[in-house]
Every structure is written in C-alpha cells, then in structure tokens.
Amino acid sequence: MLNKIIRRCSRYYWELIKRQKAFDRRKLSIEDYLDEIKSEKIKNEMPRLLVSIDDLSMTRNSLLSYDRGGDEGGILEQIVSTIEIYDWLRPIFFIIPKNREVLDGRNIFCSPFDISSLKHPRNYERVLTIKELRKKGYFDIGMHGLYHKQFDRIGYHPYAEFEFSDNLSDHAKLKHMVDVFDLLDLQTPLFKPPAFGVGCAISKEIVKTLSDITGITHAFLSTPNNGLNTHSFNVSHINETKLHKITNVPQNINLLWSEGEIVQVVQNIIEKNGIVHPQCHCVEPGCLEDGWSDFIVSRLKLIESIMSASTRGYKIWKPST
C-alpha cells in the first residue's frame, strides 16, 4: 500500500516538473532561440527553403471547415494564384481527409470516417484539383491526420489529434490515414501531426509508432518550443534529424514575429546552411492570425529576398531518399 502511494506521488511530482518545463519553454526568447541555432553544426552544402501550408481539407464544405480550401474563389484558389506569380513559392500543403471542427464552442460531429464521402462528386472534385495542381508542380502534399480533432482530453488544444491517444490507437489512425491517401492516389511520405501533438504530455513516443507505418519516411514533429522540443532543446531547429526509421523536419519561422526577428532568425539559419521553414494556414486570416493573406505573402517575400540576396544561394527543400 505504501509503495503504491509513493509511486503515485512520484508520478504526480514528475508530471508537475514536466508541466513547468513546458511552461518555461513556451517563454523561449528570440535571443535564446538564436543561441540554440548558433550552437548547431553545419550539415548541408547550402540553405533550403520550405514553406508549409496546413489544414487544406479534402472536403469542400466551407461551413464545417472554416474555408480550409473553400469553395469557388476560396483560399486554395487565392494561394494558387500567388504560386503562379512567384516561381520560388512551391509549398507543401498538409491535408486533412475528414475535417472535424469546432464552431462557436459547439462540437460539429461528422459521420464516422467513410472514404466514399470523399468520392462524392462535390468532394472528389477537390481531390482531382489537388492531383492536377500537384502534377503540374504547383505544390507537394503531406498528411495531416484523419480528423484534425482530439476527443481524449476536454479543455486541451482541440486539434491535437495524437496528443493523448495511446500508441495502439495512433497506429490504427495513422495506418487508416495512409490507406486513405493511397486509395485516392495521393501517396506521400510526409506527415505532420495537428498542433504538433506528439504525446509529450503523457510521455508517449509517437516516433516509434510512426516507424512501424509503411509509407511514412519524413515527419514534421518540432518547432522551437513545441512537439519534440516541448520541454527542452531536443532536436535540431535547422537540420533533419533521424529518429528510428523517421526523419524529423523542423519548422522554425513564425510569420507573426516582427520583421526584425524574422530577419535575424533567417540570417542565422542561412549561416548554418539550414532549412528555413515558415508555416501558415489554409484559412481566412479572420479564423487564424496566420491564415493566408497579403500580410502572410509579404512575410514570405521578405524571407525569400533575404535568402536570394545571400552569397550562399538556396534551393527548395525536398525529402531525402
């Protein structure tokens, strides 16, 4: 009985320590972040640019999906129009097969996942559009979960689909996700968990689970202070990191930082021949601050101008084979 009490107290104590570490990490300053970047080794011949756009939905119901791609004239068309202007803008869209969202604090419960719904003419038109634009080289794609929604922990980030589920559940969802993309002929080796929910809150090792899924080779599991870097500086901010059979690709630029902060971080990453990786969302700016807008485009242009002005040059990031 006493041993059981001691074990419970010990778990509770370590849980408090983890929470405090995560809280402290959230306050990471630009100065400390730059020091971490400066401590990294040069591993590549030249810098690379990677722009990711999260939350493109396979379905076209803009009411349920905050126009995550939208209907005619929506966000996807706006992004494609911008891509046609700038030949350096070749983003990766991270796609949600069956989006479940929250509107006005109310859960919108979709029907159980059924791939036939994606082949409904209204939705399949979206799939065909993605295929066509990808084939033309406008963008590449990655997988972004099944539902983009978690129901395991009320009061926590509602989009962290893989944060509190166990490894067995994760394996089933990830395999189903890969199968959906395969069945729609949208194969991709890239995966990013919604909200960078990788299980840090419950000490889950999602990397091992990912390594068991055939078809996934690269995962986007870290930001400066989230995902695998939730508690401390664990994986590189600027280089790929091999973890089991998975290659982690870091995300490292917040487009909502000040112009001066973005310039400093980009210049330091260039000095290390690292990956410069900003991210935004395929939604209206009224839904998320970093939703697609003229402001976001101006930030991306700023980053590219810094990189193109460098004597080191740069190339567009592509997954290693």
Side-chain angles (χ1 to χ4, degrees):
M1 182 66 178
L2 179 59
N3 287 338
K4 184 181 288 187
I5 293 173
I6 291 173
R7 284 196 298 271
R8 285 181 178 177
C9 289
S10 178
R11 282 198 299 268
Y12 179 72
Y13 173 73
W14 286 112
E15 183 67 27
L16 288 178
I17 290 178
K18 284 198 305 180
R19 289 182 183 179
Q20 185 60 47
K21 284 185 175 181
F23 179 76
D24 292 342
R25 187 71 185 171
R26 285 289 183 184
K27 297 185 289 185
L28 179 71
S29 68
I30 285 290
E31 291 74 20
D32 289 339
Y33 178 39
L34 289 172
D35 285 341
E36 290 179 354
I37 291 173
K38 291 172 184 176
S39 72
E40 299 212 38
K41 296 179 180 178
I42 296 177
K43 294 186 176 181
N44 299 288
E45 294 179 358
M46 65 189 309
R48 288 162 291 167
L49 174 62
L50 165 57
V51 176
S52 61
I53 304 177
D54 289 6
D55 299 356
L56 175 61
S57 178
M58 282 189 188
T59 56
R60 294 192 62 173
N61 189 332
S62 57
L63 172 63
L64 294 184
S65 63
Y66 288 123
D67 191 25
R68 297 190 187 279
D71 295 316
E72 186 175 351
I75 294 297
L76 179 57
E77 289 191 15
Q78 293 176 36
I79 296 173
V80 169
S81 295
T82 307
I83 290 172
E84 290 176 333
I85 297 171
Y86 303 108
D87 58 6
W88 52 265
L89 183 57
R90 292 297 178 265
I92 296 174
F93 275 100
F94 284 91
I95 300 175
I96 312 162
K98 188 72 170 181
N99 203 15
R100 289 185 175 183
E101 279 296 2
V102 176
L103 294 175
D104 301 324
R106 295 178 290 111
N107 283 335
I108 301 295
F109 291 99
C110 299
S111 57
F113 193 96
D114 179 4
I115 193 170
S116 65
S117 66
L118 295 174
K119 293 194 172 182
H120 184 282
R122 178 175 171 80
N123 292 330
Y124 200 58
E125 181 185 345
R126 163 59 55 77
V127 174
L128 291 175
T129 298
I130 292 170
K131 285 184 182 180
E132 180 182 356
L133 292 171
R134 184 191 191 192
K135 186 176 181 181
K136 289 181 177 179
Y138 279 55
F139 52 74
D140 203 348
I141 64 171
M143 297 174 282
H144 202 36
L146 269 180
Y147 303 113
H148 203 271
K149 186 84 171 71
Q150 67 93 7
F151 302 99
D152 300 289
R153 186 72 63 92
I154 296 173
Y156 189 78
H157 200 311
Y159 306 137
E161 183 174 358
F162 296 91
E163 183 62 36
F164 292 103
S165 51
D166 58 34
N167 288 320
L168 191 62
S169 175
D170 283 351
H171 191 280
K173 281 192 290 185
L174 289 165
K175 186 178 185 308
H176 196 169
M177 174 190 72
V178 172
D179 288 346
V180 169
F181 278 79
D182 285 349
L183 285 168
L184 293 172
D185 197 24
L186 287 171
Q187 293 87 351
T188 173
L190 311 179
F191 166 71
K192 182 191 291 187
F196 289 94
V198 299
C200 287
I202 58 173
S203 298
K204 179 178 68 180
E205 295 192 42
I206 194 174
V207 175
K208 289 183 178 179
T209 305
L210 284 168
S211 296
D212 291 335
I213 302 296
T214 301
I216 300 176
T217 61
H218 290 69
F220 298 68
L221 305 175
S222 65
T223 73
N225 56 4
N226 202 353
L228 297 177
N229 287 328
T230 292
H231 300 118
S232 59
F233 178 26
N234 291 315
V235 294
S236 173
H237 295 310
I238 63 172
N239 298 309
E240 293 104 332
T241 303
K242 194 73 173 179
L243 303 166
H244 297 281
K245 298 177 184 178
I246 296 296
T247 299
N248 179 62
V249 184
Q251 182 177 296
N252 48 31
I253 303 287
N254 184 338
L255 293 172
L256 301 179
W257 287 337
S258 72
E259 185 173 314
E261 290 170 335
I262 289 175
V263 170
Q264 286 186 79
V265 173
V266 172
Q267 288 177 337
N268 276 271
I269 296 175
I270 289 173
E271 286 297 313
K272 294 288 186 174
N273 286 350
I275 302 167
V276 175
H277 182 187
Q279 171 245 14
C280 60
H281 285 86
C282 189
V283 296
E284 301 97 329
C287 296
L288 290 172
E289 286 185 276
D290 66 350
W292 189 260
S293 65
D294 290 342
F295 172 78
I296 293 299
V297 174
S298 70
R299 285 291 199 249
L300 293 174
K301 288 167 65 177
L302 169 65
I303 291 170
E304 196 281 330
S305 68
I306 299 169
M307 298 188 74
S308 61
S310 168
T311 56
R312 294 171 182 262
Y314 78 91
K315 58 184 177 182
I316 303 298
W317 179 88
K318 294 182 184 297
S320 55
T321 55

